[in-house]
Amino acid sequence: MSVAYISSLRSKDPRTQVGACIVDKNHRIISTGYNGMPNGCNDSEMPWESKQGLESKYLYVVHSEQNAILHAKSDLTGCTLYATLFPCNECSKSIIQSGISEIVYLSDKYKDMEQTIASRFILNMAGIKYRQLISDTKIEINLNNTRELSKQQILESSSRLLYDDDKYLELFYK
């Protein structure tokens, strides 16, 4: 979930930053995504407000789940999608069609909206498992001080976030 959260930080949406991370059955990252404008569209020239008509961001934004699915370079059958927000009905259709079998999400702040109710309906019908990640673990990432930390400090602080893989952590440390 930490990778999905970090991905959400790339979003330019001033109201809702959403991230997604797809992993295979061995918990290897297959793809990531965040909510943003389509490739080739200048973020600064696009509407980011929740207005009506052509000035609404909802007509243009590609959701994090869809971006993660579209950027995947391998088969997603049996994969798990981690998302910082429960997927809407449009994203759930893509999730079902891609073969993803489980969704783990953080927030469900739109649970009473029609799109979310419809999303749950089709996910249940398709047999896709979903669950909310409830955790009291605080994830703190201070990118300004990472160069001052020793490898041992990074190993100790990262062991819960990253799998205990010295090669990966060595690359992360560099």
Side-chain angles (χ1 to χ4, degrees):
M1 186 60 76
S2 59
V3 173
Y5 177 78
I6 290 169
S7 296
S8 76
L9 299 176
R10 296 201 61 201
S11 175
K12 306 285 189 295
D13 191 324
R15 184 168 176 234
T16 306
Q17 295 78 39
V18 183
C21 178
I22 301 172
V23 299
D24 67 13
K25 64 181 179 177
N26 296 313
H27 300 285
R28 291 190 186 108
I29 296 171
I30 301 298
S31 184
T32 61
Y34 59 93
N35 58 319
M37 295 299 170
N39 291 336
C41 296
N42 187 334
D43 289 338
S44 63
E45 296 176 16
M46 300 298 287
W48 285 105
E49 301 298 322
S50 301
K51 296 180 181 178
Q52 298 294 318
L54 294 176
E55 293 300 312
S56 173
K57 67 180 180 179
Y58 300 114
L59 295 176
Y60 308 104
V61 170
V62 180
H63 288 183
S64 65
E65 302 91 334
Q66 290 174 329
N67 267 323
I69 290 167
L70 290 169
H71 289 120
K73 302 293 183 210
S74 60
D75 183 20
L76 300 180
T77 302
C79 287
T80 299
L81 180 134
Y82 289 87
T84 58
L85 183 63
F86 190 86
C88 72
N89 61 310
E90 293 298 318
C91 289
S92 289
K93 290 188 260 185
S94 296
I95 290 166
I96 292 166
Q97 293 300 94
S98 72
I100 290 172
S101 61
E102 183 178 12
I103 302 165
V104 181
Y105 62 95
L106 277 180
S107 173
D108 198 9
K109 69 179 181 177
Y110 300 119
K111 66 181 173 189
D112 297 323
M113 293 186 68
E114 285 182 353
Q115 296 92 331
T116 308
I117 294 167
S119 177
R120 279 191 167 78
F121 178 77
I122 62 174
L123 290 170
N124 288 335
M125 187 174 280
I128 308 296
K129 296 182 288 186
Y130 54 88
R131 62 185 168 88
Q132 187 170 17
L133 180 65
I134 308 290
S135 175
D136 58 0
T137 302
K138 180 179 177 183
I139 299 172
E140 186 173 323
I141 301 169
N142 185 346
L143 297 177
N144 294 325
N145 295 327
T146 54
R147 292 177 189 221
E148 297 172 15
L149 297 175
S150 70
K151 181 178 178 182
Q152 186 60 36
Q153 288 173 309
I154 290 174
L155 287 171
E156 289 170 2
S157 65
S158 300
S159 62
R160 288 184 306 228
L161 300 177
L162 304 172
Y163 289 95
D164 231 349
D165 180 352
D166 281 338
K167 291 179 186 172
Y168 183 72
L169 290 172
E170 184 67 32
L171 290 172
F172 178 78
Y173 181 69
K174 289 179 182 178

